[in-house]
PDB file of all heavy atoms in Angstrom:
ATOM      1  N   TYR I1406      86.113 103.202  96.437  1.00 98.00           N
ATOM      2  CA  TYR I1406      85.517 104.501  96.105  1.00 98.00           C
ATOM      3  C   TYR I1406      84.109 104.211  95.599  1.00 98.00           C
ATOM      4  O   TYR I1406      83.907 103.301  94.797  1.00 98.00           O
ATOM      5  CB  TYR I1406      86.350 105.177  95.007  1.00 98.00           C
ATOM      6  CG  TYR I1406      85.970 106.627  94.773  1.00 98.00           C
ATOM      7  CD1 TYR I1406      86.663 107.664  95.385  1.00 98.00           C
ATOM      8  CD2 TYR I1406      84.897 106.953  93.936  1.00 98.00           C
ATOM      9  CE1 TYR I1406      86.308 108.996  95.172  1.00 98.00           C
ATOM     10  CE2 TYR I1406      84.531 108.279  93.731  1.00 98.00           C
ATOM     11  CZ  TYR I1406      85.245 109.284  94.356  1.00 98.00           C
ATOM     12  OH  TYR I1406      84.893 110.607  94.151  1.00 98.00           O
ATOM     13  N   VAL I1407      83.134 104.961  96.091  1.00 98.00           N
ATOM     14  CA  VAL I1407      81.752 104.752  95.651  1.00 98.00           C
ATOM     15  C   VAL I1407      81.582 105.498  94.333  1.00 98.00           C
ATOM     16  O   VAL I1407      81.742 106.723  94.279  1.00 98.00           O
ATOM     17  CB  VAL I1407      80.749 105.282  96.697  1.00 98.00           C
ATOM     18  CG1 VAL I1407      79.318 104.969  96.267  1.00 98.00           C
ATOM     19  CG2 VAL I1407      81.048 104.704  98.075  1.00 98.00           C
ATOM     20  N   GLN I1408      81.311 104.778  93.280  1.00 98.00           N
ATOM     21  CA  GLN I1408      81.237 105.403  91.954  1.00 98.00           C
ATOM     22  C   GLN I1408      80.156 104.721  91.115  1.00 98.00           C
ATOM     23  O   GLN I1408      80.051 103.496  91.092  1.00 98.00           O
ATOM     24  CB  GLN I1408      82.595 105.273  91.240  1.00 98.00           C
ATOM     25  CG  GLN I1408      82.671 106.019  89.938  1.00 98.00           C
ATOM     26  CD  GLN I1408      84.038 105.911  89.267  1.00 98.00           C
ATOM     27  OE1 GLN I1408      84.713 104.896  89.386  1.00 98.00           O
ATOM     28  NE2 GLN I1408      84.433 106.948  88.559  1.00 98.00           N
ATOM     29  N   GLU I1409      79.406 105.533  90.440  1.00 96.00           N
ATOM     30  CA  GLU I1409      78.349 105.032  89.561  1.00 96.00           C
ATOM     31  C   GLU I1409      79.006 104.184  88.462  1.00 96.00           C
ATOM     32  O   GLU I1409      80.039 104.560  87.910  1.00 96.00           O
ATOM     33  CB  GLU I1409      77.597 106.254  89.006  1.00 96.00           C
ATOM     34  CG  GLU I1409      76.236 105.941  88.448  1.00 96.00           C
ATOM     35  CD  GLU I1409      76.340 105.254  87.116  1.00 96.00           C
ATOM     36  OE1 GLU I1409      76.985 105.810  86.207  1.00 96.00           O
ATOM     37  OE2 GLU I1409      75.818 104.128  87.003  1.00 96.00           O
ATOM     38  N   ALA I1410      78.387 103.027  88.144  1.00 97.00           N
ATOM     39  CA  ALA I1410      79.052 102.050  87.262  1.00 97.00           C
ATOM     40  C   ALA I1410      79.410 102.613  85.880  1.00 97.00           C
ATOM     41  O   ALA I1410      80.526 102.399  85.393  1.00 97.00           O
ATOM     42  CB  ALA I1410      78.160 100.809  87.114  1.00 97.00           C
ATOM     43  N   SER I1411      78.486 103.338  85.249  1.00 97.00           N
ATOM     44  CA  SER I1411      78.794 103.830  83.892  1.00 97.00           C
ATOM     45  C   SER I1411      80.006 104.762  83.904  1.00 97.00           C
ATOM     46  O   SER I1411      80.741 104.840  82.916  1.00 97.00           O
ATOM     47  CB  SER I1411      77.596 104.561  83.289  1.00 97.00           C
ATOM     48  OG  SER I1411      76.494 103.710  83.216  1.00 97.00           O
ATOM     49  N   SER I1412      80.208 105.481  85.022  1.00 97.00           N
ATOM     50  CA  SER I1412      81.357 106.404  85.103  1.00 97.00           C
ATOM     51  C   SER I1412      82.679 105.657  85.185  1.00 97.00           C
ATOM     52  O   SER I1412      83.742 106.275  85.183  1.00 97.00           O
ATOM     53  CB  SER I1412      81.268 107.289  86.346  1.00 97.00           C
ATOM     54  OG  SER I1412      80.009 107.806  86.484  1.00 97.00           O
ATOM     55  N   MET I1413      82.612 104.332  85.322  1.00 98.00           N
ATOM     56  CA  MET I1413      83.862 103.556  85.422  1.00 98.00           C
ATOM     57  C   MET I1413      84.415 103.212  84.036  1.00 98.00           C
ATOM     58  O   MET I1413      85.095 102.208  83.863  1.00 98.00           O
ATOM     59  CB  MET I1413      83.620 102.262  86.201  1.00 98.00           C
ATOM     60  CG  MET I1413      83.183 102.470  87.637  1.00 98.00           C
ATOM     61  SD  MET I1413      82.929 100.879  88.442  1.00 98.00           S
ATOM     62  CE  MET I1413      82.164 101.355  89.993  1.00 98.00           C
ATOM     63  N   PHE I1414      84.119 104.061  83.032  1.00 98.00           N
ATOM     64  CA  PHE I1414      84.579 103.767  81.673  1.00 98.00           C
ATOM     65  C   PHE I1414      86.058 104.122  81.478  1.00 98.00           C
ATOM     66  O   PHE I1414      86.653 103.794  80.445  1.00 98.00           O
ATOM     67  CB  PHE I1414      83.735 104.525  80.642  1.00 98.00           C
ATOM     68  CG  PHE I1414      83.923 106.014  80.745  1.00 98.00           C
ATOM     69  CD1 PHE I1414      85.019 106.627  80.163  1.00 98.00           C
ATOM     70  CD2 PHE I1414      83.039 106.796  81.477  1.00 98.00           C
ATOM     71  CE1 PHE I1414      85.223 107.997  80.293  1.00 98.00           C
ATOM     72  CE2 PHE I1414      83.239 108.160  81.612  1.00 98.00           C
ATOM     73  CZ  PHE I1414      84.344 108.761  81.017  1.00 98.00           C
ATOM     74  N   SER I1415      86.671 104.824  82.462  1.00 98.00           N
ATOM     75  CA  SER I1415      88.050 105.317  82.276  1.00 98.00           C
ATOM     76  C   SER I1415      89.008 104.189  81.894  1.00 98.00           C
ATOM     77  O   SER I1415      89.948 104.394  81.123  1.00 98.00           O
ATOM     78  CB  SER I1415      88.563 105.977  83.557  1.00 98.00           C
ATOM     79  OG  SER I1415      87.659 106.938  84.001  1.00 98.00           O
ATOM     80  N   GLU I1416      88.768 103.005  82.450  1.00 97.00           N
ATOM     81  CA  GLU I1416      89.642 101.862  82.150  1.00 97.00           C
ATOM     82  C   GLU I1416      89.557 101.480  80.674  1.00 97.00           C
ATOM     83  O   GLU I1416      90.574 101.200  80.037  1.00 97.00           O
ATOM     84  CB  GLU I1416      89.210 100.690  83.039  1.00 97.00           C
ATOM     85  CG  GLU I1416      90.059  99.484  82.901  1.00 97.00           C
ATOM     86  CD  GLU I1416      89.685  98.425  83.937  1.00 97.00           C
ATOM     87  OE1 GLU I1416      89.314  98.796  85.079  1.00 97.00           O
ATOM     88  OE2 GLU I1416      89.743  97.247  83.592  1.00 97.00           O
ATOM     89  N   VAL I1417      88.326 101.515  80.146  1.00 97.00           N
ATOM     90  CA  VAL I1417      88.121 101.187  78.728  1.00 97.00           C
ATOM     91  C   VAL I1417      88.866 102.214  77.880  1.00 97.00           C
ATOM     92  O   VAL I1417      89.572 101.877  76.926  1.00 97.00           O
ATOM     93  CB  VAL I1417      86.598 101.254  78.396  1.00 97.00           C
ATOM     94  CG1 VAL I1417      86.354 100.970  76.928  1.00 97.00           C
ATOM     95  CG2 VAL I1417      85.822 100.310  79.286  1.00 97.00           C
ATOM     96  N   ALA I1418      88.724 103.491  78.258  1.00 98.00           N
ATOM     97  CA  ALA I1418      89.356 104.567  77.489  1.00 98.00           C
ATOM     98  C   ALA I1418      90.874 104.453  77.564  1.00 98.00           C
ATOM     99  O   ALA I1418      91.574 104.543  76.547  1.00 98.00           O
ATOM    100  CB  ALA I1418      88.887 105.917  78.024  1.00 98.00           C
ATOM    101  N   MET I1419      91.400 104.206  78.763  1.00 97.00           N
ATOM    102  CA  MET I1419      92.862 104.116  78.925  1.00 97.00           C
ATOM    103  C   MET I1419      93.432 102.950  78.105  1.00 97.00           C
ATOM    104  O   MET I1419      94.454 103.088  77.449  1.00 97.00           O
ATOM    105  CB  MET I1419      93.231 103.932  80.399  1.00 97.00           C
ATOM    106  CG  MET I1419      93.186 105.198  81.224  1.00 97.00           C
ATOM    107  SD  MET I1419      94.408 106.430  80.732  1.00 97.00           S
ATOM    108  CE  MET I1419      95.901 105.722  81.387  1.00 97.00           C
ATOM    109  N   LYS I1420      92.732 101.820  78.149  1.00 96.00           N
ATOM    110  CA  LYS I1420      93.228 100.640  77.399  1.00 96.00           C
ATOM    111  C   LYS I1420      93.231 100.934  75.915  1.00 96.00           C
ATOM    112  O   LYS I1420      94.193 100.614  75.214  1.00 96.00           O
ATOM    113  CB  LYS I1420      92.322  99.430  77.678  1.00 96.00           C
ATOM    114  CG  LYS I1420      92.743  98.662  78.908  1.00 96.00           C
ATOM    115  CD  LYS I1420      91.989  97.342  78.996  1.00 96.00           C
ATOM    116  CE  LYS I1420      92.277  96.677  80.322  1.00 96.00           C
ATOM    117  NZ  LYS I1420      91.149  95.907  80.829  1.00 96.00           N
ATOM    118  N   ALA I1421      92.154 101.570  75.434  1.00 97.00           N
ATOM    119  CA  ALA I1421      92.053 101.871  73.996  1.00 97.00           C
ATOM    120  C   ALA I1421      93.174 102.830  73.592  1.00 97.00           C
ATOM    121  O   ALA I1421      93.789 102.677  72.538  1.00 97.00           O
ATOM    122  CB  ALA I1421      90.686 102.472  73.683  1.00 97.00           C
ATOM    123  N   ILE I1422      93.463 103.813  74.439  1.00 96.00           N
ATOM    124  CA  ILE I1422      94.518 104.792  74.130  1.00 96.00           C
ATOM    125  C   ILE I1422      95.883 104.110  74.092  1.00 96.00           C
ATOM    126  O   ILE I1422      96.670 104.298  73.167  1.00 96.00           O
ATOM    127  CB  ILE I1422      94.510 105.940  75.175  1.00 96.00           C
ATOM    128  CG1 ILE I1422      93.258 106.791  74.993  1.00 96.00           C
ATOM    129  CG2 ILE I1422      95.770 106.774  75.081  1.00 96.00           C
ATOM    130  CD1 ILE I1422      93.029 107.823  76.085  1.00 96.00           C
ATOM    131  N   MET I1423      96.153 103.299  75.100  1.00 95.00           N
ATOM    132  CA  MET I1423      97.472 102.654  75.164  1.00 95.00           C
ATOM    133  C   MET I1423      97.684 101.738  73.951  1.00 95.00           C
ATOM    134  O   MET I1423      98.781 101.648  73.422  1.00 95.00           O
ATOM    135  CB  MET I1423      97.627 101.840  76.459  1.00 95.00           C
ATOM    136  CG  MET I1423      97.542 102.658  77.738  1.00 95.00           C
ATOM    137  SD  MET I1423      98.608 104.091  77.790  1.00 95.00           S
ATOM    138  CE  MET I1423     100.165 103.373  78.148  1.00 95.00           C
ATOM    139  N   GLU I1424      96.599 101.104  73.517  1.00 94.00           N
ATOM    140  CA  GLU I1424      96.701 100.229  72.345  1.00 94.00           C
ATOM    141  C   GLU I1424      96.912 101.045  71.089  1.00 94.00           C
ATOM    142  O   GLU I1424      97.790 100.764  70.270  1.00 94.00           O
ATOM    143  CB  GLU I1424      95.410  99.414  72.210  1.00 94.00           C
ATOM    144  CG  GLU I1424      95.571  98.001  72.731  1.00 94.00           C
ATOM    145  CD  GLU I1424      94.281  97.243  72.611  1.00 94.00           C
ATOM    146  OE1 GLU I1424      93.717  97.179  71.485  1.00 94.00           O
ATOM    147  OE2 GLU I1424      93.839  96.759  73.661  1.00 94.00           O
ATOM    148  N   ASP I1425      96.104 102.109  70.935  1.00 94.00           N
ATOM    149  CA  ASP I1425      96.180 102.924  69.719  1.00 94.00           C
ATOM    150  C   ASP I1425      97.554 103.583  69.597  1.00 94.00           C
ATOM    151  O   ASP I1425      98.133 103.668  68.518  1.00 94.00           O
ATOM    152  CB  ASP I1425      95.076 103.988  69.762  1.00 94.00           C
ATOM    153  CG  ASP I1425      94.936 104.703  68.430  1.00 94.00           C
ATOM    154  OD1 ASP I1425      94.350 104.100  67.510  1.00 94.00           O
ATOM    155  OD2 ASP I1425      95.431 105.847  68.303  1.00 94.00           O
ATOM    156  N   ALA I1426      98.083 104.046  70.748  1.00 93.00           N
ATOM    157  CA  ALA I1426      99.352 104.770  70.709  1.00 93.00           C
ATOM    158  C   ALA I1426     100.548 103.831  70.697  1.00 93.00           C
ATOM    159  O   ALA I1426     101.662 104.245  70.427  1.00 93.00           O
ATOM    160  CB  ALA I1426      99.447 105.679  71.936  1.00 93.00           C
TER     161      ALA I1426
END
Side-chain angles (χ1 to χ4, degrees):
Y1406 191 96
V1407 184
Q1408 187 178 33
E1409 198 285 305
S1411 301
S1412 314
M1413 298 180 189
F1414 66 81
S1415 308
E1416 183 173 325
V1417 178
M1419 281 295 285
K1420 273 191 188 147
I1422 290 171
M1423 298 309 282
E1424 259 179 54
D1425 190 77

